Amino acid sequence: MPRKLAAMAVMSVIGIAGTSAAAPTAAESAAEVSWGECPKDVVTAAAPSKLDCATVPVPLDYADPASGEIKIMISRLASKKPAKRRGILLLNPGGPGGSGLAFPGFLVARGMPVSVTDSYDVIGMDTRGIGHSAPVSCGFTGKGPYVGNLPPYAVDDAAVLKQAKVVKGVAEQCAKKDRDDRLRHLTTANTARDLDRIRAALGERKASFLGLSYGTALGAAYASMFPERSDRVVLDSNIGDTHLDPDGLRRYALGMEQTFPDFAKWAAQRHGSYGLGRTPQEVRATYFKIAERLDKQPVPGLDGALFRNSMFAILYNKTLYTSAAQLWQTLLTGGNPPDDQPDLSSYDNSWTVFLAVTCNDVNWPEDVNTYRRAVAQDRKRYPLYGAAAANITPCAYWPHEPAEPPVKLTDEGPANILLVQNERDVPTPHRGGEMFREKLGDRARLVSVDAAGHGAYLLGGNACAWNVATSYLVDGRMPQHDISCPAS
């Protein structure tokens, strides 16, 4: 369980480049889109919703369109009320590296109101490099020292140097496997350009957008590169910019410090059941006790770094709290958790896309000493997770330099961006929503939700957040001011 949780966490984390001036203009004439049956894996994942699928050709390299094309597969949950249909609602579930073809069906299963699905053709997609859209691979097997893209906790300075050797090998492996030279073209800016090609291919003058987690970076990039083509934009669990950089990664530790107290309070209230501490402070002390013990004496399938990554993943959703309590209780009573060693090879594509987009979007520091200093600082500043979030990643040794600057968020354009943000969120702390609000200015309004977890609209349960976001998508009611939603 711990290894799988830690590895899967990167699928929900945020993780982005280009400027509106440099962005090529997509053709305005609608290409012919031939809708047909979706691949079997999409049909199964979207059930009981029934989706149509199609492909849209886009340039692999927008700077040199004649160099070749790739095909982006999209899905459609068509509006059943053509008279009420406003247009298209493009979706992105996050990542980067999350498959989105079945996402319309997933959101319907999570309660997407009929008023929304009547108002739009809801469009999912596998963005470039993912799944059915020219997939890429670094050849990750899920075995060995590199398991997922969340950096491991560096218990001391020597651990940073050790990790540097691991991630250098990962970057070299990705370069070796990149036989078609596709990795360099996986950026947020290029994906935003793909969105505009899809909009044009569907014959729409504008496109609405709903993005979660990293999807907020993509949506913000699209709204900044193509402001007049963006319609109603809802960004849920905002990362703070159009890209993930070292500062963004280090905010994971801030998010864990802000979110852990919710779990600690929950566990303290159930001390009679699990014995993890009578007060939140005692539960926090138990966390360090277990982690430090595992640093020195790992048990089969679990060391201190993996324990911390597992907790990072568990704090995404309160429904996982019982999993954490059971794990802690097992460890405290001298038992070992199941050494399940799940097959993680299926995450190769997702991990590869996460790395490619993250490393291509910005120029990461290449000097290992930069990461050594950051780890030492954040180990003290954010004791729960700081020495993990600040640790070195393969981006330090990535074979490609950014092809263009990151997309700059602009406050010039329509006031059409609704930001929805839980106050306590592990990978995207509330500060990310504040940063978007500051950079987008009067184009945006921020809905702050008194809740813990990753995802506020549809993935969260707050009535206020749901009502505000739904009203905006359906009726265009943008709040006049920022809103604070009480717990519900």
Side-chain angles (χ1 to χ4, degrees):
M1 176 187 67
R3 179 175 290 268
K4 185 175 182 180
L5 279 171
M8 289 178 64
V10 76
M11 296 308 303
S12 299
V13 301
I14 49 183
I16 21 198
T19 64
S20 56
T25 301
E28 284 305 311
S29 58
E32 182 177 351
V33 174
S34 299
W35 294 105
E37 293 186 2
C38 293
K40 290 183 178 180
D41 61 316
V42 178
V43 172
T44 300
S49 295
K50 295 182 180 180
L51 309 179
D52 304 312
C53 284
T55 58
V56 176
V58 301
L60 174 63
D61 182 359
Y62 278 91
D64 184 15
S67 63
E69 290 183 332
I70 57 175
K71 292 184 177 180
I72 305 299
M73 183 171 285
I74 63 175
S75 63
R76 177 184 66 175
L77 180 66
S79 169
K80 295 180 180 179
K81 297 287 182 66
K84 293 184 177 181
R85 180 186 179 279
R86 178 178 178 82
I88 57 172
L89 177 64
L90 304 177
L91 304 180
N92 186 270
S99 174
L101 279 173
F103 201 46
F106 172 81
L107 291 183
V108 168
R110 292 302 298 256
M112 176 177 274
V114 173
S115 56
V116 176
T117 56
D118 283 347
S119 299
Y120 300 93
D121 287 346
V122 183
I123 307 296
M125 70 193 71
D126 279 352
T127 53
R128 59 171 53 210
I130 300 166
H132 295 278
S133 298
V136 294
S137 168
C138 285
F140 295 127
T141 64
K143 299 178 181 179
Y146 192 80
V147 183
N149 295 321
L150 287 176
Y153 185 90
V155 68
D156 54 25
D157 185 63
V160 182
L161 297 175
K162 180 180 179 181
Q163 182 66 7
K165 295 179 180 179
V166 171
V167 297
K168 185 174 186 292
V170 168
E172 292 171 348
Q173 177 178 327
C174 290
K176 184 178 180 180
K177 292 286 185 179
D178 186 23
R179 299 183 182 92
D180 297 327
D181 195 33
R182 289 181 180 175
L183 289 185
R184 72 171 71 240
H185 302 296
L186 269 63
T187 67
T188 300
N190 281 340
T191 303
R193 292 167 182 139
D194 293 344
L195 294 181
D196 205 51
R197 288 293 177 114
I198 292 167
R199 173 203 59 78
L202 294 175
E204 300 289 339
R205 188 172 62 87
K206 293 184 177 184
S208 293
F209 183 90
L210 170 60
L212 288 77
S213 197
Y214 163 79
T216 65
L218 177 59
Y222 182 76
S224 294
M225 294 170 67
F226 306 100
E228 299 307 322
R229 295 177 195 163
S230 64
D231 192 13
R232 295 170 183 170
V233 178
V234 176
L235 306 180
D236 181 355
S237 305
N238 300 271
I239 77 168
D241 214 323
T242 60
H243 56 272
L244 179 63
D245 59 12
D247 288 340
L249 194 63
R250 290 172 76 176
R251 282 196 292 275
Y252 289 6
L254 170 64
M256 189 155 177
E257 291 287 345
Q258 292 176 339
T259 309
F260 186 86
D262 282 70
F263 168 76
K265 180 180 178 181
W266 178 93
Q269 292 171 340
R270 292 159 179 81
H271 176 74
S273 296
Y274 297 107
L276 306 183
R278 291 179 174 82
T279 66
Q281 293 76 18
E282 289 182 359
V283 174
R284 183 180 174 94
T286 301
Y287 170 87
F288 290 116
K289 176 183 176 181
I290 294 174
E292 291 165 6
R293 179 193 296 172
L294 291 171
D295 287 335
K296 299 174 182 178
Q297 296 179 321
V299 299
L302 185 64
D303 59 14
L306 188 55
F307 171 75
R308 292 177 175 91
N309 273 5
S310 296
M311 280 306 304
F312 181 88
I314 283 168
L315 293 177
Y316 273 56
N317 193 305
K318 287 188 174 183
T319 62
L320 299 175
Y321 284 6
T322 53
S323 298
Q326 291 169 332
L327 173 63
W328 288 31
Q329 190 176 40
T330 297
L331 294 169
L332 288 173
T333 56
N336 293 334
D339 185 13
D340 47 14
Q341 296 294 327
D343 181 8
L344 302 178
S345 59
S346 62
Y347 294 104
D348 169 43
N349 181 213
S350 299
W351 293 347
T352 301
V353 173
F354 182 96
L355 279 183
V357 174
T358 302
C359 300
N360 288 335
D361 277 352
V362 293
N363 194 8
W364 287 65
E366 299 175 6
D367 183 0
V368 67
N369 292 323
T370 300
Y371 299 93
R372 294 169 71 185
R373 289 191 293 269
V375 166
Q377 180 184 38
D378 283 6
R379 185 184 291 111
K380 295 180 179 179
R381 186 167 58 161
Y382 304 123
L384 290 170
Y385 200 66
N391 205 353
I392 193 168
T393 78
C395 293
Y397 303 100
W398 197 245
H400 307 297
E401 295 294 320
E404 55 186 324
V407 176
K408 183 178 180 181
L409 289 175
T410 176
D411 58 2
E412 297 180 3
N416 64 344
I417 303 174
L418 183 69
L419 310 171
V420 189
Q421 190 79 39
N422 283 339
E423 293 180 358
R424 302 174 299 285
D425 184 341
V426 181
T428 55
H430 191 263
R431 179 57 188 150
E434 295 171 347
M435 291 171 66
F436 266 11
R437 181 68 174 86
E438 293 163 3
K439 295 170 184 175
L440 291 167
D442 287 338
R443 292 194 66 188
R445 293 292 183 268
L446 175 60
V447 180
S448 300
V449 185
D450 183 3
H454 193 47
Y457 179 49
L458 299 181
L459 298 189
N462 186 272
C464 167
W466 277 48
N467 292 338
V468 172
T470 298
S471 294
Y472 177 56
L473 285 174
V474 175
D475 301 319
R477 293 196 206 117
M478 173 69 82
Q480 293 184 348
H481 308 284
D482 293 346
I483 293 176
S484 294
C485 287
S488 69

